[in-house]
Amino acid sequence: MTGIDEVDLAILRVLSDDATATNVAIGKQVNLSGPATFERIKRLKNDGIITGSRTEIDPHAIGRPFLAFIFLKAKGGLKKKQVKELEKIPEIEEIHSTAGQFSILLKVRTRAAADMEDIFERIYAIEGVESSETIITFHTFLSRAPHIP
């Protein structure tokens, strides 16, 4: 991976605000031509700095307003296998490896709390999952891309 300079950081800031911005529009903001901006973005992708772009969707608009975070306690040595099985559950949006009492943290979004029962059945069917603790959210005040210095 090559180094990131101030221009690269400026491009990343623009893209984190609007991933659909054109190369010309980005270039105007960072004082580059469209083709030069294209090459920079291409390099940032090839170097693994830009790993993708996604559209943010209002979960309420698609009938998925219920958000929970689930901490899993699982037997050691099986985490990779457990993650592969957890990836098959479409309601799980994020899977994190954690330290402390629990080894895995899940971000789960569904239509309603009642849908969680089926999800827990699928989670507890995975070998080595021993227990869980769930946090239910009422409202998300902030969700944003990583801070770019």
Side-chain angles (χ1 to χ4, degrees):
M1 181 169 74
T2 61
I4 299 176
D5 63 17
E6 288 300 318
V7 175
D8 291 334
L9 290 173
I11 290 170
L12 292 172
R13 283 186 208 99
V14 173
L15 286 172
S16 72
D17 286 337
D18 181 6
T20 64
T22 66
N23 294 326
V24 171
I26 296 167
K28 285 181 182 177
Q29 293 184 55
V30 302
N31 297 317
L32 288 178
S33 68
T37 302
F38 172 81
E39 290 302 321
R40 291 270 188 148
I41 292 171
K42 181 178 164 184
R43 181 179 49 78
L44 290 167
K45 288 178 179 179
N46 289 339
D47 289 349
I49 295 162
I50 296 175
T51 58
S53 58
R54 301 186 330 195
T55 300
E56 290 188 28
I57 300 168
D58 178 359
H60 296 267
I62 60 167
R64 296 288 185 268
F66 187 83
L67 176 61
F69 292 90
I70 303 171
F71 293 94
L72 297 181
K73 186 181 284 186
K75 289 182 183 174
L78 297 174
K79 190 181 286 188
K80 287 183 181 180
K81 181 179 178 186
Q82 293 159 345
V83 167
K84 289 256 186 245
E85 292 301 312
L86 290 166
E87 288 173 347
K88 296 176 184 176
I89 302 173
E91 294 86 356
I92 297 175
E93 293 183 358
E94 297 177 11
I95 304 172
H96 302 273
S97 179
T98 61
Q101 179 181 359
F102 299 96
S103 57
I104 297 173
L105 171 63
L106 308 175
K107 179 181 176 183
V108 180
R109 192 176 300 277
T110 66
R111 290 174 295 169
D115 297 327
M116 294 299 292
E117 186 171 5
D118 176 58
I119 291 168
F120 276 109
E121 284 180 16
R122 290 183 277 167
I123 289 171
Y124 278 111
I126 297 170
E127 180 184 359
V129 174
E130 296 178 336
S131 64
S132 66
E133 187 170 316
T134 303
I135 307 286
I136 308 281
T137 65
F138 296 124
H139 181 75
T140 300
F141 291 105
L142 176 68
S143 179
R144 63 178 165 205
H147 171 70
I148 301 168

